[in-house]
Amino acid sequence: MEVPSLEKFDRVSIIGGTGDQGLGLALRWAQIGLRIVIGSRDFDRAQAAANKVRSLLGPGAHIEGMENTAAVSAATIIVLAVPFRGQLETIKSIKSNFKPGDLLIDVTVPLETAVGGRASRLLGVWAGSAAEQTARAVPAHVDVVSAFQNVSAAVLQDLSRPVDCDILVCGNSPENKARVRSLVEVIENCRYVDAGPLENSRIIEALTALLVSINIRHKTRHAGIRVTGLAE
Ligand SMILES: NC(=O)c1ccc[n+]([C@@H]2O[C@H](COP(=O)([O-])OP(=O)(O)OC[C@H]3O[C@@H](n4cnc5c(N)ncnc54)[C@H](OP(=O)(O)O)[C@@H]3O)[C@@H](O)[C@H]2O)c1
């Protein structure tokens, strides 16, 4: 499978890009020159987050802030990085802005915090996983790939260090997994690991709750995943 080069990417929009995880991804991608749109329910919050990225990376960073619907219309690769409690409501609000061929990268994890519980516990999801729920909710012409659930926002946002983490990627389209691979491999030290079909996302999402639990025990915010034994 050919891995597309970055020149083939137009813009990448991050829905929920004002939050910890979305902002971390925005920083890493804008740092290497990708054109990023930060999406928010509120235009001013999106602008403020874009300004924050610009202040950290310099005025040359290709970063814009837009309201979520405009952010979806502006890109062909869209990242969904909102809390699980807002996942379906967010998709409903942006659904009509997707275009045929769009790729939606779902980062959502169904942590128990969505219903007032602990971040170290996972909620059961009727569809099997947050990513499969997303796939059911978006229009049929949008492909969903699940990725970036096991890398911490604190690690992504700390630009003084490379990201010491494998990114486990699940999806049903080899072409779109290859597009995600490009987005993984541009982040220094990140390794793409093909983790199978979208239904495997339920296992990857569960690992995030485990990592939160490990973080609490080890008094850190940096726990991540490395898979050993893979041929390069
Ligand atoms: N933080 C991590 O280390 C981490 C690691 C792996 C995976 N994740 C997953 O990534 C997703 C985002 O995590 P996060 O920590 O970045 O979350 P967050 O900071 O709490 O929220 C991200 C953004 O989502 C929007 N949002 C918040 N509540 C919402 C609601 N009820 N409905 C719609 N939009 C809402 C907000 O943007 P606006 O108000 O600007 O619209 C917010 O800035 C979650 O599903 C999380 O489980 C997080």
Side-chain angles (χ1 to χ4, degrees):
M1 175 61 55
E2 190 200 340
V3 181
S5 66
L6 287 177
E7 294 76 55
K8 291 198 179 161
F9 287 105
D10 186 15
R11 284 194 278 202
V12 177
S13 285
I14 305 175
I15 305 304
T18 53
D20 290 338
Q21 193 71 351
L23 196 72
L25 290 168
L27 278 167
R28 291 287 174 173
W29 286 330
Q31 188 182 36
I32 57 93
L34 277 182
R35 296 202 292 152
I36 302 299
V37 176
I38 289 191
S40 170
R41 291 168 293 179
D42 179 87
F43 179 77
D44 291 339
R45 273 202 299 277
Q47 291 285 315
N51 287 338
K52 185 175 176 183
V53 171
R54 218 173 280 114
S55 71
L56 289 166
L57 299 181
H62 299 292
I63 184 94
E64 295 165 89
M66 296 183 192
E67 200 268 328
N68 280 337
T69 50
V72 173
S73 299
T76 52
I77 299 181
I78 299 107
V79 177
L80 184 65
V82 298
F84 182 68
R85 68 176 172 280
Q87 185 204 37
L88 284 177
E89 192 188 331
T90 302
I91 293 171
K92 205 172 165 188
S93 71
I94 58 178
K95 202 173 171 177
S96 60
N97 298 87
F98 284 108
K99 306 154 300 294
D102 278 356
L103 163 60
L104 181 61
I105 304 173
D106 196 2
V107 180
T108 316
V109 181
L111 298 177
E112 202 188 59
T113 44
V115 292
R118 298 183 184 176
S120 55
R121 290 186 179 158
L122 201 71
L123 290 175
V125 183
W126 184 257
S129 62
E132 289 164 285
Q133 179 162 287
T134 292
R136 285 183 178 200
V138 294
H141 56 254
V142 178
D143 187 50
V144 176
V145 170
S146 149
F148 301 107
Q149 291 94 343
N150 303 147
V151 59
S152 100
V155 168
L156 287 170
Q157 290 193 25
D158 181 0
L159 298 180
S160 68
R161 297 175 198 194
V163 174
D164 182 20
C165 194
D166 282 351
I167 306 299
L168 309 181
V169 179
C170 299
N172 299 332
S173 156
E175 291 78 17
N176 280 328
K177 281 204 273 192
R179 292 165 88 191
V180 177
R181 179 174 189 157
S182 300
L183 288 172
V184 169
E185 292 179 343
V186 292
I187 301 175
E188 187 184 357
N189 216 28
C190 264
R191 184 176 62 164
Y192 167 91
V193 176
D194 185 344
L198 196 66
E199 65 180 32
N200 283 357
S201 190
R202 63 194 72 181
I203 302 167
I204 287 165
E205 293 167 22
L207 289 177
T208 304
L210 180 68
L211 289 169
V212 171
S213 185
I214 290 169
N215 273 336
I216 292 167
R217 274 164 187 75
H218 293 260
K219 297 183 174 40
T220 180
R221 294 185 300 149
H222 298 114
I225 294 284
R226 282 291 191 201
V227 180
T228 61
L230 302 182
E232 285 306 315

